[in-house]
Amino acid sequence: MNRNFNLLLGGQLVSQIGDKFHMLAVAFMVLKTTGSPAKMGLVLFCSIFPGMVLGFVAGAVIDRYSRKRIIVGADVARGIIVIGMSLLYMTGSLSFSLLLLTQVLISVCTAFFDPAIPAMLPQIVKKDELTRANSKTQLVSGIATIAGPVLGGLTVAWSGYLTAFIVNAFSYLFSALSESFLRLAPVSRQNRTATKLWEDIKEGCCYVGNTGKLLTILVMVAVIHLLVGAVEAVIPILATQLTGGSAVNIGYIQTAFGVGSVLAAFGISVHSILGKEVGFLFASVCCMGVVFLV
């Protein structure tokens, strides 16, 4: 669409592929070294839950401060965290507790990074291009989910966990470099600077609580994430029990999810769902339920 949007998508593609390398390597390493599905689930919990808890806080912070600085800072912080984790692994000092801590820290950074991206889009593209921009962002996420797990699985199988961690660290730093060249339209924050941060958080919570449709959607999405998260914790365990039992198996299964995401994003980019978002949301949830039952 424009230079800024291309810079953002390029950084997103690289960092998300690195993310897939990292999560696949962590999942396989925990299963192979501990043999405990419970510990695998705990790692997944530490990777997701902190970000969910910080949701309202992150939204208020994003409204008050520079979104560009937030995403660049979050990517730099994640890169440094993974570099530190890689050094611990190299020296044999990476315990399970330290692994959980790194996942929590990455999740905290991601809690501020992820909502800042859609919040930035109106500063980058025109209003009538937002639907297309969102679908292209989803398309990039799908491509990363296709390429990342397979490449990550092959990397772990051929070169080991450390290589996957290093790839992820440098993907975050590359993303931060790409985002540093963004030129965003200014956003008026006069109404935000007049209030305190905790007041903004309270206002956001009250708004969600008083908006029935939004609250329903949020509760529904939270339940889905909880249940789908449980399935995601099971997938690496099943993958190791299939023929070969290698990290490549996990990569292939996760890639299948990416193929679906790309097909959906392509469909939305071709046929607009403007004004039909709620209907499509609930229909997609029903389809997911049917597929899981099958």
Side-chain angles (χ1 to χ4, degrees):
M1 290 181 178
N2 58 53
R3 174 181 173 275
N4 282 330
F5 188 67
N6 291 335
L7 282 171
L8 183 65
L9 282 191
Q12 285 285 282
L13 178 61
V14 173
S15 68
Q16 288 186 24
I17 288 177
D19 241 348
K20 304 305 178 186
F21 272 59
H22 179 88
M23 285 308 300
L24 185 144
V26 167
F28 197 69
M29 182 176 70
V30 170
L31 283 176
K32 283 298 182 181
T33 56
T34 70
S36 171
K39 287 187 175 181
M40 176 62 244
L42 186 57
V43 169
L44 185 63
F45 176 82
C46 290
S47 304
I48 298 174
F49 187 72
M52 295 175 60
V53 172
L54 290 172
F56 286 108
V57 176
V61 170
I62 290 166
D63 278 347
R64 297 175 72 92
Y65 302 107
S66 167
R67 291 156 188 169
K68 175 183 172 179
R69 291 181 181 178
I70 288 172
I71 64 171
V72 171
D75 266 340
V76 170
R78 291 190 292 186
I80 292 173
I81 292 166
V82 180
I83 288 174
M85 175 182 168
S86 302
L87 292 173
L88 289 171
Y89 181 80
M90 287 175 60
T91 59
S93 304
L94 183 62
S95 64
F96 183 69
S97 298
L98 287 174
L99 177 63
L100 293 181
L101 177 60
T102 59
Q103 293 306 113
V104 169
L105 293 176
I106 292 172
S107 180
V108 169
C109 294
T110 303
F112 291 91
F113 181 91
D114 283 352
I117 297 298
M120 286 173 60
L121 289 182
Q123 297 176 257
I124 296 176
V125 301
K126 298 177 182 178
K127 186 176 181 180
D128 58 353
E129 295 178 328
L130 280 174
T131 301
R132 286 181 56 213
N134 281 316
S135 68
K136 287 187 176 182
T137 302
Q138 182 64 32
L139 180 62
V140 164
S141 179
I143 292 173
T145 307
I146 291 175
V150 170
L151 294 176
L154 292 172
T155 299
V156 170
W158 292 344
S159 303
Y161 306 120
L162 181 61
T163 303
F165 296 150
I166 292 174
V167 168
N168 187 36
F170 281 99
S171 75
Y172 284 138
L173 298 179
F174 176 87
S175 179
L177 178 64
S178 176
E179 293 152 0
S180 67
F181 291 102
L182 291 173
R183 296 292 180 267
L184 304 179
V187 176
S188 175
R189 293 189 174 87
Q190 293 179 353
N191 59 327
R192 289 299 179 194
T193 55
T195 60
K196 295 181 179 180
L197 180 62
W198 70 269
E199 292 176 339
D200 292 343
I201 297 171
K202 180 181 178 182
E203 180 185 344
C205 293
C206 291
Y207 177 79
V208 171
N210 295 328
T211 308
K213 184 180 291 187
L214 179 58
L215 182 61
T216 300
I217 291 174
L218 287 178
V219 170
M220 181 187 73
V221 170
V223 172
I224 291 170
H225 273 284
L226 175 65
L227 299 179
V228 173
V231 174
E232 288 182 358
V234 170
I235 286 173
I237 301 167
L238 293 176
T240 58
Q241 296 174 354
L242 297 175
T243 302
S246 70
V248 179
N249 286 350
I250 304 176
Y252 285 145
I253 294 172
Q254 291 181 346
T255 291
F257 283 101
V259 172
S261 298
V262 169
L263 292 175
F266 178 75
I268 292 173
S269 66
V270 174
H271 301 287
S272 175
I273 62 170
L274 190 63
K276 307 173 185 176
E277 294 89 348
V278 174
F280 269 82
L281 176 62
F282 280 89
S284 65
V285 171
C286 291
C287 289
M288 287 171 61
V290 171
V291 169
F292 276 124
L293 286 174
V294 172

